Amino acid sequence: MDIVIKQKNSLHGSVTVPGDKSISHRSVMFGAIAKGITEVHGFLLGEDCLSTISCFRKLGITIELQGETVFVHGKGLHGLSAPTEVLDVGNSGTTLRLMSGLLAAQPFTSQLTGDASIQKRPMNRVAVCLRQMGASFECADEDNLHAPFTIHGKKLKAIEYTLPVASAQVKSALLLAGLYAEGETVVIEPEPTRNHTEIMLNYMGADITTNGTTIHCRPISQLYGKRIDVPADISSAAYFMVAGCVCQNAEILLKNVGINPTRSGIIDVLLAMGADITIQNQQTVCGELVGDILVRSSGLSGTVVEGSLIPRLIDEIPILAVAACFAKGTTVIRDAAELKVKESNRIHTVVTELKKFGASIEETEDGMMIHGGNPLTGCTVETYHDHRIAMAMAVAGIMADGETIITNAQCANISYPAFYESLLQL
Ligand code: S3P
């Protein structure tokens, strides 16, 4: 499906973007291994989270959908049953990596697969540490694990593990395995990453403590199903934050957005660039900080984005690059080599596509450099089946002179099924 985007000179209104993808995945996974019903409100009905639901149904869990409310009939820590079919995670790296940790500790064998993109994404990062705990993975290339692969569940032992890359998915896989392991699992992160796993598991009765970048997980006898209210996804809100800043005549209110400090790097960077952003009605819901974000037209300036900021905005870098095209001066993004192993190589795909608009942007080894101020002109862009590239380029299209065509635009369904409608509504 191709979408035609026309330039807009004014953006006004209020948007409630869909539920947080990371939290929606976790609500189903953790609800499945908790005792009793987990009632999830504001669940993201995007393709990735639906893949998680489909995998857990194959593990014997009853999951009912009523609009954006999901009822997970959890069977407790030891209640999953052996799947009789292959577990297909579709495009979802979070599903594949977190489930690897969980399934490694079950008393049965599971086979996992996913789409063409997922089959290229590195899985050694989870296999290396889970194997140290005693996990057994079987794959065509044992030393370079990729989907499809088989997990033979084993009795695991706890380890202390220092993550070589900052990855919430690997940390979460270890913590899930740690729930079942003998002893205390300790994970040390190079930089803090999103901590939704720690927050939600503790909310359901786990015993996880965090001290700086060190996380301790002790085994427990049971988790308990609870009501979970999923906040709107800051990664989806980011497209409207940038559109609101860059558009000459804009005022956009983004309601009930998750602003957990491990995720809110995009707000900090836009503020440092001179954005007119205010946060209202802050409160904590189910352990997660949420608030309304008001964005108005702003004159942005270039900045440097690096170090511990990167994991706090890793998924927002494509749209941040669009913001940088409209900022005065140069923006440098470094320490972001992880972008190369996302749904597409996002250093290459962002730079390639923004160049088509006439942006002055260069790839670097671990990020990109953007010289802002070149006017953007509408063009035809590719999405590489990567939802974040599609949505970032749509925002570039709204701001560019003339008309932009987004080819294969439907991949936005992965995380934001009504994205183009929301953009048009403003
Ligand atoms: C996620 C963690 C991040 C992020 C992904 C979702 C999660 O991946 O990019 O979209 O829900 O834990 P990494 O852990 O690979 O950095």
Side-chain angles (χ1 to χ4, degrees):
M1 176 184 80
D2 293 354
I3 291 253
V4 181
I5 307 260
K6 294 202 172 84
Q7 189 178 29
K8 281 206 177 190
N9 298 318
S10 111
L11 293 170
H12 287 266
S14 134
V15 189
T16 305
V17 303
D20 188 277
K21 183 155 81 73
S22 295
I23 297 178
S24 295
H25 280 301
R26 286 161 173 80
S27 68
V28 169
M29 295 182 188
F30 306 167
I33 55 165
K35 204 170 157 204
I37 295 178
T38 289
E39 186 177 320
V40 190
H41 293 262
F43 185 84
L44 168 62
L45 294 167
E47 285 170 7
D48 270 9
C49 297
L50 295 176
S51 295
T52 293
I53 290 187
S54 135
C55 289
F56 277 85
R57 283 183 173 150
K58 289 181 186 165
L59 290 162
I61 302 297
T62 301
I63 302 171
E64 295 166 87
L65 280 172
Q66 284 175 20
E68 287 179 353
T69 304
V70 176
F71 297 88
V72 184
H73 296 258
K75 289 190 168 172
L77 266 188
H78 302 282
L80 297 178
S81 27
T84 51
E85 288 168 75
V86 175
L87 305 172
D88 187 343
V89 305
N91 190 244
S92 177
T94 306
T95 312
L96 187 62
R97 298 213 174 100
L98 270 63
M99 286 189 79
S100 296
L102 183 60
L103 295 173
Q106 304 305 314
F108 52 76
T109 292
S110 314
Q111 286 176 293
L112 289 114
T113 193
D115 69 7
S117 148
I118 215 78
Q119 295 191 20
K120 289 201 209 105
R121 296 186 67 185
M123 285 302 293
N124 253 4
R125 48 181 62 193
V126 286
V128 164
C129 48
L130 291 171
R131 276 179 175 144
Q132 285 183 24
M133 295 178 83
S136 166
F137 292 92
E138 193 187 315
C139 167
D141 184 353
E142 291 286 317
D143 298 325
N144 190 14
L145 192 76
H146 283 90
F149 59 86
T150 300
I151 304 176
H152 301 289
K154 297 277 180 221
K155 189 102 198 86
L156 303 181
K157 58 177 190 308
I159 54 164
E160 177 174 319
Y161 189 78
T162 302
L163 294 174
V165 285
S167 164
Q169 294 178 352
V170 181
K171 169 179 66 175
S172 302
L174 276 162
L175 295 177
L176 284 168
L179 287 180
Y180 296 86
E182 202 185 300
E184 178 175 308
T185 299
V186 182
V187 185
I188 302 157
E189 304 188 277
E191 307 283 359
T193 64
R194 64 191 68 195
N195 61 356
H196 308 302
T197 295
E198 297 89 307
I199 290 176
M200 195 184 293
L201 284 177
N202 277 341
Y203 176 69
M204 293 176 144
D207 182 8
I208 300 174
T209 47
T210 303
N211 190 353
T213 48
T214 305
I215 302 117
H216 297 258
C217 174
R218 286 159 290 269
I220 32 123
S221 53
Q222 203 53 274
L223 292 174
Y224 298 94
K226 284 243 195 152
R227 177 186 165 118
I228 294 174
D229 291 281
V230 181
D233 197 327
I234 190 166
S235 299
S236 299
Y239 302 103
F240 299 97
M241 285 185 224
V242 169
C245 287
V246 169
C247 179
Q248 299 272 316
N249 177 10
E251 182 168 310
I252 305 174
L253 180 66
L254 297 154
K255 289 211 201 123
N256 192 39
V257 181
I259 48 171
N260 174 326
T262 61
R263 293 285 299 282
S264 58
I266 183 69
I267 299 178
D268 296 348
V269 169
L270 288 173
L271 285 173
M273 293 172 85
D276 183 349
I277 292 182
T278 47
I279 301 187
Q280 307 165 344
N281 302 325
Q282 274 198 50
Q283 53 178 318
T284 300
V285 179
C286 305
E288 292 282 351
L289 193 62
V290 300
D292 299 335
I293 302 176
L294 182 67
V295 190
R296 297 197 185 94
S297 314
S298 325
L300 300 181
S301 304
T303 190
V304 177
V305 186
E306 61 186 352
S308 57
L309 252 176
I310 297 295
R312 295 180 57 228
L313 48 58
I314 188 75
D315 293 339
E316 289 69 77
I317 292 178
I319 189 61
L320 185 59
V322 174
C325 291
F326 294 92
K328 225 167 86 190
T330 299
T331 295
V332 179
I333 300 172
R334 58 169 84 102
D335 302 326
E338 272 297 294
L339 290 176
K340 294 181 184 170
V341 291
K342 296 293 178 189
E343 286 84 330
S344 68
N345 172 346
R346 287 185 181 157
I347 296 182
H348 184 68
T349 52
V350 166
V351 170
T352 307
E353 297 314 301
L354 284 176
K355 271 190 177 154
K356 293 182 183 166
F357 284 96
S360 172
I361 179 168
E362 298 147 45
E363 268 186 61
T364 60
E365 198 35 55
D366 62 352
M368 57 191 84
M369 191 155 5
I370 306 124
H371 308 286
N374 268 21
L376 299 195
T377 310
C379 57
T380 299
V381 290
E382 309 278 320
T383 60
Y384 308 89
H385 304 288
D386 182 338
H387 53 132
R388 304 220 184 270
I389 300 298
M391 294 187 276
M393 295 311 138
V395 172
I398 288 270
M399 297 305 139
D401 285 336
E403 213 172 78
T404 294
I405 299 168
I406 317 277
T407 59
N408 288 312
Q410 71 281 3
C411 56
N413 289 340
I414 290 287
S415 63
Y416 196 158
F419 173 73
Y420 303 104
E421 288 84 339
S422 298
L423 200 58
L424 286 177
Q425 252 172 39
L426 287 170

